[in-house]
Amino acid sequence: LRAGCFEAMVHDLRVLLPALAANLVTVPLAALVACEALDLEGPVRLGVLLAAASPGGGTGALLSLQARGDAAHAVVLQGVLAVSALVVTPLWVGGSTDGIPLAPVVGGLLLLQLAPLLLGAWLRAHRPAVAERLHPRARRVADTALLVLVVGLLVTELDQLDRTGTAG
């Protein structure tokens, strides 16, 4: 992506605003309605709300790339959502994030989401040949990391299903 792609996407509110509304309002609201309808309580409710109210996550741009989506839209949206999640997520979970230290969360967002996006944009703008050469490798690393994350979470957290019961 070139810098002009980012600027154009930020200024094209016809695309950005509906995507922000879907991620920041519609999905969390649907999760809240589902929690109420299913009478979910405690950690299960909190988990559902956290997942729904944590917009985009670190894989948004990667999944968009896999689906052959608009790369500029995905990257800009992921950057905006990463920052907005710091404000929006506690609102949707009703402030029930007490005891979760904010500094590591912010540091993780900056280091693991925004830094790679900005580095990739800088590399594309200033060293396009290097960026082009690194892209296939970086994509394989990202795909592999996503797979390892999903499998790792399944393996290490599968026992949590016993604690949540049928509704969870």
Side-chain angles (χ1 to χ4, degrees):
L1 293 173
R2 310 261 184 274
C5 293
F6 294 111
E7 291 173 25
M9 186 53 59
V10 168
H11 296 318
D12 188 0
L13 296 181
R14 293 174 298 127
V15 175
L16 194 57
L17 288 180
L20 288 172
N23 280 275
L24 300 175
V25 178
T26 306
V27 171
L29 184 59
L32 187 61
V33 168
C35 285
E36 290 296 322
L38 295 171
D39 198 30
L40 297 179
E41 296 295 328
V44 174
R45 180 185 182 92
L46 181 60
V48 169
L49 291 176
L50 279 173
S54 300
T59 59
L62 175 62
L63 294 174
S64 179
L65 179 67
Q66 297 292 1
R68 299 192 187 343
D70 184 316
H73 179 242
V75 171
V76 168
L77 187 61
Q78 183 172 342
V80 171
L81 288 174
V83 174
S84 64
L86 298 173
V87 174
V88 173
T89 302
L91 295 175
W92 278 109
V93 297
S96 58
T97 57
D98 293 341
I100 299 174
L102 189 58
V105 173
V106 172
L109 284 171
L110 294 174
L111 180 67
L112 300 174
Q113 287 190 38
L114 293 179
L117 290 173
L118 294 174
L119 177 62
W122 180 90
L123 197 60
R124 175 67 70 185
H126 298 286
R127 303 281 191 273
V130 173
E132 197 65 36
R133 195 171 62 249
L134 289 177
H135 182 262
R137 288 188 197 111
R139 184 169 179 176
R140 281 193 299 275
V141 168
D143 290 346
T144 302
L146 179 60
L147 179 64
V148 167
L149 174 67
V150 170
V151 170
L153 285 172
L154 285 173
V155 168
T156 61
E157 302 300 325
L158 197 59
D159 65 316
Q160 295 298 316
L161 291 178
D162 291 340
R163 295 183 191 183
T164 62
T166 306

